[in-house]
Amino acid sequence: MSLNLKRDQVPPEQAENWVINLMDEENLTFNLFVPPIVLQKETYNILTRENENRIRIYLGLEPEKRDGKFVLCAYAVSAFLMGSGEVFRDYENPVYKLEKLNLNQSTKSSQAIENIRRYQKWRTGELDAENEYARFRKFIYPKAFLISKYELHEIFTMQNKDEAQISFGISKTMNTLIYPDVKEKRDVKDQMMVFDFTDPCPPACDKSSVYNSENDGSQ
């Protein structure tokens, strides 16, 4: 029985898979403590403004650790559409720190930038280079998220909620590695020249193709 999903809603099984993948990374690359990250409706209304701007959320790290782990934090800014393309630019102010009670950090933007840069050093592996897996973080964790207005409109307007919590999961898909030569067996470090020219299906599928049919022909 298929669920009637809202626009941008993640199916429950997929969300569960993403959370499990993130839990797996806690033993490798994700050595962070994540306190509740909350976006309040009042903050949403301030950042989207009358012309319905998008919201971009930057990740940061607090200066102090907790129980030996780096502490994640998040900052929200308003992003506006630049020209007729799909390029969104950030407004520098206002900027809000997304704690349980959102904090206007517009007068402390230098502190926000410092925390964001600290996260980016963690992301590139500079902050704890002794971790042998740290160098892989930049392929897993983004700097920021540009949130679509549809999901926030659903939560704050359609469902009339006063706040939304932001958490994280990791999607894992199989990618192609295309080499310009053929070997029976490759060493794991043999990746000096390798390409990925593919768009996986889904989402890039020919839905009319007989090869893409889930019907096995027995009915």
Side-chain angles (χ1 to χ4, degrees):
M1 184 176 178
S2 61
L3 295 174
N4 186 18
L5 300 175
K6 300 282 189 180
R7 181 168 184 167
D8 291 331
Q9 182 181 353
V10 180
E13 297 87 352
Q14 185 175 354
E16 180 182 355
N17 176 258
W18 289 3
V19 171
I20 291 173
N21 289 340
L22 181 58
M23 292 170 61
D24 289 341
E25 283 297 326
E26 290 178 357
N27 297 321
L28 302 172
T29 63
F30 195 77
N31 58 346
L32 302 181
F33 176 81
V34 184
I37 297 174
V38 177
L39 176 65
Q40 295 178 311
K41 186 175 184 177
E42 182 179 355
T43 305
Y44 162 77
N45 288 331
I46 291 172
L47 294 179
T48 54
R49 305 182 181 181
E50 293 181 357
N51 56 351
E52 295 187 338
N53 288 330
R54 301 275 288 275
I55 293 178
R56 197 186 313 271
I57 295 179
Y58 284 93
L59 299 180
L61 290 184
E62 301 285 6
E64 304 296 331
K65 290 185 177 181
R66 183 182 302 185
D67 297 328
K69 289 188 174 183
F70 296 102
V71 180
L72 193 71
C73 59
Y75 296 90
V77 297
S78 182
F80 64 97
L81 184 62
M82 188 76 173
S84 59
E86 289 297 317
V87 177
F88 286 85
R89 299 289 298 272
D90 296 338
Y91 284 106
E92 292 186 6
N93 279 302
V95 54
Y96 280 82
K97 191 175 185 182
L98 303 184
E99 299 182 352
K100 289 184 178 179
L101 180 63
N102 293 174
L103 303 176
N104 188 339
Q105 300 282 278
S106 300
T107 60
K108 301 178 181 178
S109 59
S110 59
Q111 181 179 332
I113 293 170
E114 182 180 338
N115 287 353
I116 290 169
R117 287 178 177 170
R118 186 178 296 108
Y119 166 82
Q120 293 178 3
K121 288 183 178 179
W122 172 88
R123 179 180 172 271
T124 58
E126 296 177 51
L127 209 56
D128 56 342
E130 71 279 1
N131 183 333
E132 63 177 317
Y133 299 105
R135 60 195 176 98
F136 298 117
R137 289 186 188 133
K138 60 181 174 290
F139 305 112
I140 304 173
Y141 306 104
K143 297 179 180 178
F145 299 90
L146 181 65
I147 299 184
S148 83
K149 56 188 176 183
Y150 301 108
E151 49 206 357
L152 295 182
H153 176 81
E154 168 66 31
I155 292 171
F156 291 125
T157 304
M158 302 302 294
Q159 298 186 23
N160 198 29
K161 300 291 186 179
D162 292 326
E163 57 187 14
Q165 182 174 2
I166 298 167
S167 190
F168 304 101
I170 294 176
S171 63
K172 291 184 179 180
T173 58
M174 184 170 68
N175 298 306
T176 61
L177 296 175
I178 303 174
Y179 299 88
D181 58 345
V182 177
K183 292 183 180 179
E184 287 287 337
K185 200 169 184 179
R186 289 189 182 273
D187 186 87
V188 69
K189 296 186 180 296
D190 183 18
Q191 313 297 334
M192 294 304 294
M193 181 176 286
V194 60
F195 304 92
D196 177 15
F197 302 113
T198 61
D199 294 315
C201 166
C205 301
D206 177 4
K207 294 183 179 180
S208 65
S209 172
V210 63
Y211 302 106
N212 190 36
S213 173
E214 294 184 1
N215 189 339
D216 60 6
S218 60
Q219 295 180 348

